[in-house]
Amino acid sequence: MNIIGIDLGTSNTLACVFRNGEAVLIPNGEGGYLTKSAVSVMEDGTIITGRAAKERLLTHPDRTAASYKVFMGTEWDTCLGQQYFKPEELSAFVLRQIKQDAEKFLQEPVEEAVISVPAYFNDNQRCATKLAAQLAGLKVSRLINEPSAAAVYYRWSNPDAEDGKLMIVDFGGGTLDVSIVECFDNIIEILCIAGDNHLGGDDIDAAIAKHFCEVNHLSQTALTPEEKAALMRQAENAKTALSEPETDSSLIKLPAGEKEYMLNLDRELLAKLCEPVFKRVEKVLRRALENKKAARGIRRVVLVGGSSRMPVFHDFLEKLMSARPVIAADPDKIVALGAGVCAGIKERREELQDIVMTDVCPFSLGVATYNSQIDREPHMAVLIPRSSMLPVSHSSRFYTLHDGQEHLRFEFYQGEDYFVSGNLKLGELKVRVPRGIAGSQWAEVVFTYDINGILHVGVESSGGDKRETVILNPNLHLTDEEMKEAMERINSIRLTTEAHRDEQLFAQALSLYERLGDERRAALSRGLELYCGAQDAQDIIAVRRAEEYLKELVERFREELSQDPFAQLYGLGMDWDEDTEEPEDE
Ligand code: ADP
Ligand code: MG
């Protein structure tokens, strides 16, 4: 049985497997490890994912989606081409690609995965993630919090590091997660977690883009979708360039309408634009440190996530904490590596036998209650306080408030506000109670929060009425039939690989083949054969290689033809695209 670990990130998705005592990253068809979490619908209705899809964000923004992870577990959907997609369906396409890549790498079927999710993901978001995996044909053997996965790998790959407390800050594309972890021998204990599900590098890109428009007196809303996408890309590139020590400034250029607009982004300006984003980071850090018991004696701050590569971020943290943070060796791969180790634990790999990891519940969970009949607004009766170690189960008894009351209705919430109105509603249940005077009848509510971070609720009344539920967004709770339909829908859409045939190159090669009659024809024939063979085998790397080879041939022969005075006479190599009658080269 193969279980893989998957980091399903806002910007990048990675997969990892535990083999021969190592966490091994799984290469994608592009020859790298980071698959862009982007989906694009081609004109023929097929789907592409990864880098090619992200590129199409520039040319076909109306057919392409990225950064949809922030909408997981919500009602959001998007129209690409002519079809509507939900975030979990978009995720499913990327997961399907990852599954294929893993099967190719392992040469065996892969049906199970450990998937990491932001610690701050609520039940709806977790269930949506599970659904995405199911749609892609993957059973989720465990959902693990991203910072916990990072902590596991950090500890596992630094076995000689001293025991003690670490603070792990994961600053990615769309989410920020902070966790305080205590390591002792092989025990990795997560002490507390804080986070923000809508904060990351994307916000910095947006701030740069906004500033660009302000200084250039452009209205962001007046830009075409293509211009907007180009600006965001330029902003991201300029930001990333400034992470290189030798780069002090980076020029952003945007042709829009008749004009070209510009902005020179330097470190100082970047730091200024990052300020509001970093203020929000600070808030999350403070929240983590407010847990005094967990925060006492932290030895080291470890940075992970792509955005933690920014020197301006290091400066900000250093100033805030009076200590230079450590950047993890592979900041954008460590969560996947950790998920890979966890997959190895699930596979019961011997080398991982003694690793123990405990995790916590990142938020408080409770029931809406009234203290008395005159209470106006319901408040939280917390059953599971935040930072409780998982799995955890607590129960509480609630009594009737009125004489003759026939039902007790419970609404379940997550959050830290006193009044439930400030918290997130997860679901509700109603039970019958025997009629009686106020306070004589009751119901017992049991909350169980499992290691996947999913809440199960059971309610039993004094009359013996029993109800149970797993908290799910009702919109995600599909019946078997609906699930089957959704899977069929997803599976009916063909996934194309990144290796689209370069039609222009192909046409040029065919036309040259037609034209050339010597050993050059034989060379082209071989090149075309390789190219088509790799296409048929859906071997993306081989397609790339064959494409390079064919391109070289085409360029060389075109060059030769253009130097051939005879060929020039007929305009060969000059008006390549023109459909002229050409003579044989014999
Ligand atoms: P996620 O886990 O959300 O998929 P990652 O950890 O892969 O995200 O990080 C992606 C984010 O990191 C993006 O916002 C990207 O712009 C940013 N990023 C990646 N490399 C760099 C870099 N060298 N400098 C600054 N930001 C970077
Ligand atoms: Mg991440």
Side-chain angles (χ1 to χ4, degrees), residues 222-238:
L223 294 178
T224 64
E226 286 82 3
E227 287 162 354
K228 222 182 274 171
L231 177 57
M232 288 302 279
R233 179 66 55 86
Q234 289 258 353
E236 184 182 7
N237 290 347

Side-chain angles (χ1 to χ4, degrees), residues 7-14 34 37 69 146 170-175 200-202 205 236 239-244 304-311 331-332:
D7 170 11
L8 188 58
T10 311
S11 320
N12 299 302
T13 300
L14 296 92
L34 276 69
S37 306
K69 179 174 167 179
E146 287 169 8
D170 181 352
F171 195 25
T175 54
D202 289 354
D205 305 344
E236 184 182 7
K239 170 192 79 174
T240 311
L242 288 182
S243 295
E244 300 302 322
V304 310
S307 299
S308 71
R309 287 213 160 95
M310 299 177 73
D332 37 23

Side-chain angles (χ1 to χ4, degrees), residues 25-41:
L25 290 169
I26 295 173
N28 58 24
E30 300 161 2
Y33 300 113
L34 276 69
T35 298
K36 293 280 168 211
S37 306
V39 175
S40 190
V41 178

